[in-house]
Amino acid sequence: MHVADGAIRKARAGLVLLAVAVLLTLVGPFSGDAHAASRCAGHKVDTLRFSTGSIHVFRDGNFLCAMTYAKNPGTTRTMSVSIQARGSRPVAKSGRYKQYAGPVRTHIGTRKVWIRGSVGGGKFSDGWFKYPRR
């Protein structure tokens, strides 16, 4: 009886592992790309241009969101985007992308912000200013 109980436990464990593997295979591609596919909510308040791209800035209530877009998309290159509300740490996203980096979103309330972005060798860095910019 003890040998049969061990075989049943191993079979159950194998079925559980198989079920988890199938579940991760089906759900995995959707969950990992959710942030990459999402865009900023709210209305566009600014476009900050630089030599190799631009940063699109959106405001939604007390939140600011930004994405860096390549001027010539298609080739994979290093890109980054960050927003820092005064008194807080920067919220940033960087890596190797083909079209855009981001989005990054942070609560700004009435505080001034510093926005940075880069595509390849081109960079943008500007702040401290309030949104909407005057």
Side-chain angles (χ1 to χ4, degrees):
M1 286 256 193
H2 295 289
V3 174
D5 289 341
I8 291 172
R9 276 193 208 118
K10 285 183 182 180
R12 282 184 186 160
L15 287 174
V16 168
L17 286 175
L18 181 63
V20 169
V22 168
L23 182 64
L24 288 175
T25 301
L26 294 174
V27 177
F30 300 108
S31 64
D33 294 338
H35 287 95
S38 65
R39 298 285 204 284
C40 291
H43 62 280
K44 192 176 193 179
V45 292
D46 211 351
T47 300
L48 310 168
R49 300 184 196 290
F50 55 100
S51 62
T52 57
S54 60
I55 303 170
H56 297 229
V57 184
F58 298 83
R59 179 121 192 200
D60 187 18
N62 288 323
F63 288 86
L64 207 62
C65 181
M67 296 179 68
T68 299
Y69 287 89
K71 191 174 190 177
N72 299 309
T75 59
T76 302
R77 66 192 115 185
T78 303
M79 295 187 200
S80 69
V81 62
S82 76
I83 303 174
Q84 181 177 2
R86 188 165 219 129
S88 298
R89 292 180 181 215
V91 178
K93 192 170 273 189
S94 63
R96 295 185 53 79
Y97 306 104
K98 288 185 177 185
Q99 296 180 354
Y100 60 86
V104 293
R105 184 174 186 256
T106 191
H107 181 271
I108 63 164
T110 59
R111 296 179 290 175
K112 292 182 177 181
V113 297
W114 194 293
I115 296 179
R116 296 174 183 88
S118 69
V119 176
K123 296 179 184 177
F124 181 91
S125 180
D126 194 14
W128 297 99
F129 51 85
K130 282 192 168 198
Y131 272 100
R133 285 177 96 173
R134 301 187 199 283

